[in-house]
Amino acid sequence: MSAAKALDGLAGFAVRRVIGAVVTLLAISVIIYVVFYVAPGDVAQITCGPRCSPAQVQQVAGQLHLDDPLHLRYWHFLQGILAGQDFSTGTSVQHCDAPCLGLSYQSDQQVTQLILAKLPVTFSLVLGAMTLWLLIGVGTGVLSVWRRGRITERVLTGVTLAGTATPVFVIGLVLMIVVCGQLQWLPFPQYVPFAEDPEQWAWNLLLPWLSLALIEAARYARLTRSSMLETLAEDHVRTFRAYGVGERSIVGRHALRGAVAPVVALAANDFGGSMGGAVLTETMFGLPGIGRELVHAVNVVDLPVVVGMVLVIGFFVVVANAVADVLFAVADRRVVLS
Amino acid sequence: MSEPFVALGAAEAGTDVVLAPASGARQFWRRLRAQRAALLAAGVIALLVLVALAAPLLTAIEGQDPTTYHPRLVDSASGGVPVGAFGGMGADHWLGVEPQTGRDLFARLVYGARVSLGVALSATLLQVLIGVVVGVAAALGGRWADQVLSRATDVIIAMPLMIMALALLAIVPGGFPRPVLVAAIIGLVAWGSIAKIVRAHALTLKELDHVAAARLSGWGPWRVARRELLPALAAPVITYAALLFPLNITTEAALSFLGVGVKPPTPSWGQMLTQADVWYQAAPQYLLLPAGALFVTVLALTVLGDGVRTALDPRAASRLRVGTGRRREAKA
């Protein structure tokens, strides 16, 4: 196969993957529309919230185009998101710019603005924690394979097993009570923007990072260990040994290579799961990210905010998976064929 | 009718049957019993199930119930700290009382076991049911059915469970029993991965000679699925369900911890932890008991899940052991 043809296949794969991602996003938007705006009984009342007057409910019903047939209503919903729309708040008309996810029924604020304002907190939390758990997880996995058959491996296997069995909020509570409460090593976390003071940003996020990362690291350590052990049992590794390649190189280079693909795949697909962890961590530590905002919106039934959050998080998950797939195809051309 | 096909398939495939049907319940038990950790975990889970089932009996012996307030057992001046040593532990209240409300902690803990295990089990069964139906239908249906069902599965996988569950719990009318609701939502949102695994296994099985023979002889898809596929799918499905069960326990606990899952007065371990950080100094057992219960339950289920996988797929387990063996060889 010529290089040009392989690249063609790769470009074709990337295009197909992007189209697939767009289709998935549309499907998610349909499901979310049906679940949140069609399935419940009195949509206008739920959307407007429990404190709405009958007149306000009427107005919301008009904005939702409740009298139109279903496909038209969905079209309005999609059009509103992609092109922006105007909302009348009784006295004045507020324009909501594209990408418009509606207005919060609590604060009349644009949901898109609301999410954008909270996003840096969540990204700080998730990306920092992800770096930590990849380092700790893969490191622990490699160490337990390097020391296999010894006491170190047993201890690490036990610790990682216990880690996978601990809910994020339990380890978060314990860390918070011990480190902030009993030992007073760190103050209770308060979010400081990175641009304002990078050092304070890191210190305040240290505990939330650890709470999220320690649990995840345990899963990555287990995966790294089992992938490496499987590679070690393969014939080519036996051949390396026969040629006299040292143990350090066998474990550190050849076995570790076998763990890269599964670990990267898990990391790419973990974005959605880590958002769940972010919800818990943010709520527990009082970090003003989109996770805590979502819990708040759920508790006060602020439907536009809830739906907007779900759409945005779904968007990030789909994009993360598509990017990971394309990167994989670049790294390993065999993926394109399947 | 099915026996000749099985014989034919086995004879032609020789020893190279990739997905041998589950090697029989007796062999499974033998392999599971050989693992001490898994056996211990199974014992712990059996005990927990027993406690959950006997919750009314146990609380009747104690003479308490999980919902009655005991305002006189908490010190209202200090904001509701339990009166007496160790958070009010004693003959009347074995594990003390809850801060603020004075509800019996032992009763809430054992009734909480019902909620945790019951919700997670129902959710797992629902996930398995949907996953198997979708996965088998995708594998046996035509090209279009496969396309549609596989896309639907991808979409479901792309929607993060915690986020979707939170959002769905916001719009459900209040009158619904919360434990049922939480179980239904977990089951309906998180069946994607099991459907994907079932489809992959069913596609491999479909190519085996005895299944192909059954299809060619005019068996309908329903009969092929029931007689040929489902028995062989049992092993991967059980393995995966054993993985999902502890995850579902954690999810229910997390949702209840956030205050949107199982709501008071119904007790749940996750929900009990919501206020635990406020009270940890005055009543540490209010934090330690539900957290410990969650930890032990999820740990036991995870260990048992590992054991079940080893018992059902000894090849995977021996692959992992080979790595250790080589090292010993090298040293010797």
Side-chain angles (χ1 to χ4, degrees), chain B residues 7 44 71 132 147 182 188 203 269 321-322 328:
Chain B
V44 171
V132 168
Q147 273 293 324
V182 174
L188 289 173
L203 281 178
W269 292 340
R321 267 200 302 274
V322 164
R328 287 199 193 106

Side-chain angles (χ1 to χ4, degrees), chain A residues 232-292:
Chain A
L232 280 180
E234 275 172 21
D235 289 341
H236 73 271
V237 173
R238 199 179 54 191
T239 311
F240 283 136
R241 280 220 171 89
Y243 275 112
V245 177
E247 185 68 19
R248 181 184 290 257
S249 168
I250 296 261
V251 172
R253 279 183 53 198
H254 302 290
L256 187 57
R257 193 170 292 165
V260 169
V263 165
V264 172
L266 182 63
N269 291 313
D270 245 7
F271 189 80
S274 66
M275 287 309 299
V279 170
L280 289 162
T281 319
E282 287 172 8
T283 308
M284 217 166 11
F285 290 104
L287 298 173
I290 62 174
R292 199 176 70 147

